[in-house]
Amino acid sequence: MLSRLSRLFPDRFTLLLISTVTLASLFPCHGTTAVIFNHVADIAIALLFFLHGAKLSRGAILAGITHWRLHLLVMSLTFLFFPIVGLLLQPVLTPLVGPVIYQGILYLCCLPATVQSAIAFTSIAKGNVPAAVCSASASSLLGIFITPVLVSIVLSKGSGGAADLHGISKILLQLLFPFVLGHLLQPWIGGFVTKHKKVLGIVDRGSILLVVYTAFSAAVIEHLWQTVPLIALFGLLVACLVILGIVLSSSRLLSRSLGFPLPDEITIVFCGSKKSLVSGVPMAKVLFAGAHLGPILLPLMLFHQVQLMICAVLAQRYAKRATE
């Protein structure tokens, strides 16, 4: 009982994120310090994608290709259904959060699926774990190409455009190149990276915290909290719950209507409904600049915690159903 309740509370990393935002609000970096922090964050992000490329084996990329119907549905939910939901709900949800933060919601809808937690929840729920590994990994990889294009299209339609196709070249240089380099070196360094998972975890979290600190520092200097009232933060929570609820329900209904067995349904639900904080923060730093980055990241950070709490409960229910 206590373990189930513990899943409803913020995890350690979420608490670190909250602490980082608080630190940036009280002691924002500026001037030369901000420039140095931004350069360090760029290096950390490049290292992050290099290590992810080194960690991902070619077997993981090729595995499960024959299960194409499942993967096609997951990719459609992630890169097609999510953005459509975001655009359709814009007239309803924008009054709750304001147009600037809703750009962050639209950006959130364009992101790839998360890898670690999608696989973890699939495993807890007794789903098809090999298919989850393949779908989540493919989503993360394809997101490097697809997300910048989606952001350009969706934000130009939904919010007047905050990113353009120029972001694709920046993504290729700053994110894809280190990823490909790491993957090419995978036969030689992959074992070392896998053996030292803690290093990858530190780079994961450290790079995100650096980006969040610099982003919110710039936003605070531009009076972020004076322009984002508390009621808008509550509205953002409502928006996250509505969007996640629609995608979770739709993914379950679609998987059942298409005749997928329960283990595959579980994989589709958890891989098709989650959005990656690890990929989203670095991409946002490349695609958006300055003070505008802070409001863009707010929906992603809140959605991250909401999806963890809701999916933790859902995974337990699936697990109980699978054992009945």
Side-chain angles (χ1 to χ4, degrees), residues 67 70 73-74 77 117-129 131-132 135 248 251-253 255-256 260-274 311 314-323:
H67 211 347
L70 182 149
L73 180 54
V74 170
L77 287 165
S117 57
I119 296 170
F121 284 128
T122 299
S123 177
I124 292 171
K126 314 297 182 185
N128 187 338
V129 175
S135 278
L248 283 172
S251 60
R252 184 174 61 179
L253 290 173
S255 60
R256 291 180 180 179
F260 285 99
L262 180 60
D264 288 349
E265 174 191 323
I266 292 169
T267 301
I268 292 166
V269 167
F270 288 116
C271 291
S273 64
K274 299 179 73 59
C311 288
L314 188 59
Q316 294 293 339
R317 291 184 178 179
Y318 266 123
K320 183 177 179 181
R321 178 181 170 188
T323 55

Side-chain angles (χ1 to χ4, degrees), residues 12-216:
R12 184 181 302 175
F13 183 56
T14 299
L15 294 176
L16 283 174
L17 282 172
I18 295 172
S19 300
T20 302
V21 172
T22 303
L23 180 64
S25 300
L26 297 175
F27 306 103
C29 65
H30 53 83
T32 304
T33 305
V35 173
I36 294 173
F37 269 77
N38 273 292
H39 286 318
V40 173
D42 287 339
I43 294 171
I45 288 169
L47 179 60
L48 165 66
F49 276 79
F50 174 82
L51 291 174
H52 274 291
K55 180 183 177 183
L56 185 62
S57 68
R58 285 166 204 180
I61 296 176
L62 297 176
I65 287 179
T66 55
H67 211 347
W68 63 269
R69 290 177 66 245
L70 182 149
H71 303 314
L72 181 60
L73 180 54
V74 170
M75 298 305 158
S76 298
L77 287 165
T78 302
F79 296 117
L80 186 61
F81 186 70
F82 246 112
I84 289 174
V85 169
L87 286 172
L88 290 178
L89 290 178
Q90 184 179 9
V92 178
L93 297 180
T94 299
L96 296 178
V97 299
V100 176
I101 292 182
Y102 203 80
Q103 287 189 8
I105 293 178
L106 292 174
Y107 171 69
L108 159 73
C109 292
C110 298
L111 289 173
T114 184
V115 178
Q116 291 93 336
S117 57
I119 296 170
F121 284 128
T122 299
S123 177
I124 292 171
K126 314 297 182 185
N128 187 338
V129 175
V133 172
C134 184
S135 278
S137 301
S139 176
S140 181
L141 178 59
L142 291 173
I144 298 176
F145 302 97
I146 297 175
T147 293
V149 178
L150 278 178
V151 169
S152 178
I153 295 172
V154 171
L155 265 67
S156 66
K157 289 182 178 297
S159 306
D164 53 38
L165 291 177
H166 177 64
I168 298 176
S169 62
K170 296 173 68 178
I171 288 285
L172 293 176
L173 179 63
Q174 297 183 30
L175 305 184
L176 181 62
F177 177 73
F179 182 91
V180 172
L181 181 61
H183 186 63
L184 290 175
L185 295 175
Q186 194 272 337
W188 295 278
I189 66 174
F192 177 83
V193 172
T194 302
K195 184 179 179 180
H196 296 82
K197 290 181 180 180
K198 289 185 178 180
V199 175
L200 182 57
I202 292 172
V203 176
D204 267 349
R205 289 158 177 77
S207 60
I208 291 173
L209 293 175
L210 274 171
V211 173
V212 168
Y213 177 69
T214 55
F216 276 89

Side-chain angles (χ1 to χ4, degrees), residues 272-283:
S273 64
K274 299 179 73 59
K275 292 295 184 176
S276 175
L277 185 73
V278 172
S279 297
V281 172
M283 286 187 183

